[in-house]
Amino acid sequence: MTTTEARPTDRKPPQLVDMSWDPITRIIGNLGIYTKIDFANREVVECHSTSSLFRGYSVFMKGKDPRDAGFITSRICGICGDNHTTCSDYAQQMAYGVKPPPLAEHIVNLGEAAEYMFDHTIFQDNLVFVDFCEAMVKATNPGVLARAERTEAPRGEIHGYRTIADIMKAFNPFEGEVYKEALKVSRVTREMFCLMEGRHVHPSTLYPGGVGTMPQPTVFTDYLSRLMRVIDFVKKAVAMNDDVFDFFYEALPGYEEVGRRRVLLGCWGAFQDPKVVDYRYESMNTWGKAMYVTPGIIVDGELVTNNLVDINLGLRIMLGSSYYEDWVNEQPFVTHDPLGNPVDMRHPWNQTTVPVPQKRDFDDKYSWVMSPRWFDQRTGDHLALDTGGGPLARLWSTALSGLVDTPYVKATGHSVRISLPKGESLPETTLEWRIPQWSNTIERDRARPYFIAYAAAMALQFIEEAMGMVRAGETKVFENFEVPDEAIGCGFHEAVRGVLSHHLVIKDRKIANYHPYPPTPWNASPRDKFGTPGPYEDAVQGQPIFEENGPDDFKGVDIMRTVRSFDPCLPCGVHMYVGKGKTLTTLHSPTYGADHG
């Protein structure tokens, strides 16, 4: 089985209640979580993840000029559009046979590092921590809040808060100190992004072959000055998160089971090394392992592979519970990769998207999301990998591979050490993220501030190397290329919330097939043809409920913490109903506004 094993408990006669949250969104309302909760045994017994939106990018990309792919696909998302542009450019560079100049690679890396810092900060501190803030804990677990008020914060000398409750209060929306400071940090990191990529979130200076950013010294010094302004905030964030998450384990014994699933993590790698990368498929294993975030697939704590060629060939797009026609009887676009390896018909290079709208049926078809899987040749399993919200998989893969060894970041084989310089008030600090015991809600959330620190540390290296090139007069940032009549390409990158791939087929100098796979299809996938649930479903289904409220005033905070730990999208609107469609609440404004008290 690829799913999490059932957790044995002493069972009481079940008290089942249907409860659903739809939509759970960031920008658009297309994610729904449908559950059956056993209140007698305090457990979620069934979960289905649904998407009510069909985008169709793989359909209307056909026939376009491939050079437009980066600009078009950035519109897939209003949050991580730059990740799509970057990944598309990687795929195009493989197809065109072009390698950007080294300075251009550093500029892209600096832009992506700023994006990780921006997005993870605003999501963690302004969205995730609403579920852990004083107002929410008071409404769902008043006993826990009372204990938090009596519990000293172990790392108070770093972040400045005396008790755990003080930290929780600092995350109250609109009025908490950290909540407001995080918004300011997000503004600064967004400015850093725009210095490198021109416009947020749809870049105006990223192209296949290089960048249009003018590499003037002031561009890099302006970036660096902003980076140094947020260094201490990053150190404090790690300390605050560790204090709160350690407290939850202590205050609620068994909370490690919330959102826990089998360790099935995927990372496609990030931050190219300009000295190694050439975008040739034939050398993809070499330059993939040289990335400053190491790609990898982790199964039950074991690193199965960090070879991007193997990762690519194992991709399978399954159907099962999705609203689409199958394409396996069509003619393949690609039969073999450039190394001569056979390419499966369910690989993204060969996918054809034919939507079939129909009524939602949880016993049959119920989502517009397909079911990406990775085929494990050792066992024959189609693994429902998840991204751990992005940072968990990135850190876990990098730690196990032990390949990253830079002045600021070092992978040890069991951890990742991150060194940050002295800031305005805190001294030079070395943080260490250690491989956790579980892949669960808390560890997904805990990894996020550590990866903000990781991105900040790598940005220091990139800025030093870029400024060294400018001082040496190495200012070339673009390489010319020709679009071939026929070609294939693939790009692998990490969107903020996890794995991102773009697969491109060119015929007659036009796009013949194009398939982007961001992290949410992996995490939000429904049950596939084998009946294997997707990661949201698997993580929620079977998890215990610790909320003190009963069915009549149940908020579902443990379920929401689990879904949001994957960084699915902004929960700007949540509609909840019970039983036969009875609406309990409809929220059109953020939870817990300034007048929550």
Side-chain angles (χ1 to χ4, degrees):
M1 291 290 291
T2 62
T3 55
T4 301
E5 301 84 356
R7 304 174 179 95
T9 58
D10 296 329
R11 309 299 295 179
K12 299 177 183 177
Q15 179 191 352
L16 295 179
V17 178
D18 289 346
M19 287 195 170
S20 302
W21 294 261
D22 190 352
I24 302 172
T25 67
R26 169 157 282 170
I27 297 299
I28 45 179
N30 64 330
L31 173 63
I33 297 294
Y34 290 72
T35 67
K36 292 184 184 295
I37 298 175
D38 181 353
F39 278 92
N41 293 289
R42 309 297 294 178
E43 180 183 83
V44 181
V45 297
E46 186 177 302
C47 177
H48 291 82
S49 170
T50 72
S51 174
S52 58
L53 182 71
F54 173 68
R55 302 297 296 282
Y57 272 80
S58 55
V59 176
F60 62 71
M61 290 290 288
K62 291 186 177 183
K64 300 289 193 299
D65 188 315
R67 293 169 294 184
D68 290 335
F71 296 103
I72 297 172
T73 58
S74 86
R75 272 67 182 177
I76 289 173
C77 183
I79 296 294
C80 53
D82 63 288
N83 301 144
H84 282 283
T85 300
T86 299
C87 195
S88 178
D89 288 349
Y90 289 168
Q92 290 178 70
Q93 283 155 191
M94 181 179 290
Y96 307 154
V98 62
K99 171 182 166 57
L103 185 57
E105 295 287 5
H106 282 312
I107 289 171
V108 173
N109 285 344
L110 285 165
E112 296 304 274
E115 173 66 3
Y116 291 134
M117 288 184 271
F118 161 78
D119 199 328
H120 282 324
T121 295
I122 202 167
F123 184 74
Q124 185 82 348
D125 295 347
N126 301 120
L127 298 166
V128 164
F129 249 97
V130 172
D131 290 334
F132 294 92
C133 75
E134 177 201 42
M136 179 63 80
V137 176
K138 182 179 180 180
T140 59
N141 295 85
V144 171
L145 181 60
R147 180 167 179 165
E149 291 169 343
R150 303 189 303 269
T151 303
E152 296 285 331
R155 299 166 181 83
E157 75 282 358
I158 299 174
H159 52 64
Y161 294 99
R162 188 179 66 83
T163 68
I164 299 298
D166 290 336
I167 301 174
M168 293 177 174
K169 185 175 182 179
F171 280 102
N172 279 338
F174 307 114
E175 55 189 33
E177 294 177 355
V178 176
Y179 184 94
K180 291 186 287 188
E181 187 177 2
L183 292 173
K184 296 177 182 177
V185 168
S186 295
R187 183 195 66 206
V188 173
T189 49
R190 189 171 183 173
E191 290 171 353
M192 292 162 60
F193 175 93
C194 291
L195 284 166
M196 296 298 151
E197 299 192 19
R199 182 176 59 190
H200 192 273
V201 62
H202 308 302
S204 57
T205 61
L206 297 193
Y207 321 116
V211 300
T213 306
M214 295 298 291
Q216 298 173 340
T218 53
V219 171
F220 300 105
T221 56
D222 286 351
Y223 185 104
L224 179 60
S225 66
R226 286 168 171 80
L227 176 59
M228 295 307 297
R229 285 166 55 190
V230 303
I231 286 289
D232 282 352
F233 178 86
V234 174
K235 298 171 188 173
K236 293 177 183 178
V238 170
M240 283 187 287
N241 279 257
D242 277 341
D243 277 355
V244 171
F245 295 138
D246 290 348
F247 168 79
F248 263 79
Y249 280 143
E250 178 186 340
L252 295 171
Y255 209 80
E256 67 274 4
E257 295 298 315
V258 172
R260 184 182 69 83
R261 70 184 303 253
R262 183 181 171 193
V263 180
L264 296 169
L265 295 170
C267 168
W268 296 169
F271 299 144
Q272 302 288 357
D273 184 341
K275 297 185 295 295
V276 181
V277 67
D278 61 9
Y279 296 102
R280 295 175 61 251
Y281 187 93
E282 291 82 355
S283 57
M284 188 162 67
N285 177 34
T286 300
W287 53 260
K289 288 178 180 175
M291 288 182 180
Y292 291 111
V293 172
T294 310
I297 289 173
I298 301 105
V299 177
D300 299 329
E302 175 189 351
L303 181 66
V304 174
T305 183
N306 55 15
N307 184 332
L308 269 182
V309 174
D310 291 342
I311 290 173
N312 177 54
L313 292 172
L315 298 178
R316 302 287 187 271
I317 310 303
M318 313 296 288
L319 294 178
S321 300
S322 307
Y323 302 136
Y324 300 92
E325 275 186 15
D326 209 339
W327 60 85
V328 291
N329 295 321
E330 303 289 330
Q331 289 295 315
F333 289 92
V334 180
T335 59
H336 292 80
D337 73 357
L339 291 169
N341 300 304
V343 176
D344 193 85
M345 195 62 193
R346 292 203 174 276
H347 189 277
W349 267 328
N350 288 323
Q351 180 185 338
T352 299
T353 302
V354 182
V356 183
Q358 56 195 279
K359 184 178 179 180
R360 178 185 292 163
D361 181 355
F362 288 130
D363 293 323
D364 189 14
K365 316 289 187 186
Y366 59 87
S367 181
W368 280 111
V369 177
M370 294 187 186
S371 296
R373 300 290 186 259
W374 191 76
F375 181 67
D376 189 343
Q377 291 186 339
R378 307 170 306 162
T379 62
D381 285 333
H382 291 78
L383 300 177
L385 302 178
D386 73 78
T387 72
L392 186 66
R394 289 196 282 270
L395 292 168
W396 208 313
S397 177
T398 300
L400 284 178
S401 290
L403 296 175
V404 174
D405 188 0
T406 77
Y408 298 102
V409 177
K410 180 176 177 59
T412 69
H414 58 84
S415 68
V416 177
R417 293 196 191 110
I418 306 161
S419 297
L420 296 176
K422 181 180 182 300
E424 294 178 350
S425 59
L426 293 175
E428 180 180 352
T429 303
T430 296
L431 307 168
E432 186 167 15
W433 177 89
R434 295 176 176 86
I435 293 176
Q437 187 175 349
W438 309 285
S439 176
N440 65 6
T441 294
I442 280 182
E443 297 307 331
R444 290 181 206 110
D445 285 338
R446 186 199 300 272
R448 199 167 289 116
Y450 276 93
F451 194 78
I452 296 171
Y454 190 115
M458 288 310 309
L460 288 166
Q461 176 177 326
F462 300 144
I463 205 83
E464 289 172 3
E465 294 183 5
M467 292 176 75
M469 289 180 180
V470 172
R471 285 193 292 267
E474 300 175 26
T475 57
K476 185 177 181 180
V477 293
F478 186 79
E479 190 69 54
N480 286 320
F481 60 87
E482 294 290 334
V483 177
D485 290 335
E486 294 190 2
I488 61 173
C490 56
F492 288 94
H493 186 38
E494 283 286 305
V496 176
R497 46 207 51 83
V499 296
L500 176 60
S501 61
H502 281 222
H503 283 80
L504 164 68
V505 178
I506 297 173
K507 291 186 177 180
D508 299 325
R509 303 187 71 189
K510 300 291 185 183
I511 294 175
N513 207 18
Y514 198 106
H515 286 280
Y517 270 95
T520 296
W522 287 87
N523 294 328
S525 63
R527 286 157 174 79
D528 60 27
K529 71 173 185 177
F530 300 109
T532 304
Y536 292 169
E537 298 175 330
D538 187 34
V540 171
Q541 188 166 287
Q543 80 167 37
I545 296 297
F546 286 85
E547 181 178 335
E548 296 171 26
N549 297 324
D552 292 339
D553 53 357
F554 186 69
K555 297 184 181 301
V557 67
D558 300 307
I559 296 169
M560 292 299 99
R561 285 172 182 156
T562 292
V563 175
R564 289 178 186 137
S565 71
F566 289 95
D567 192 351
C569 274
L570 169 68
C572 57
V574 177
H575 306 263
M576 178 178 172
Y577 69 84
V578 171
K580 298 180 180 180
K582 177 184 175 183
T583 300
L584 290 184
T585 58
T586 302
L587 305 179
H588 295 289
S589 60
T591 306
Y592 298 121
D595 60 348
H596 72 80

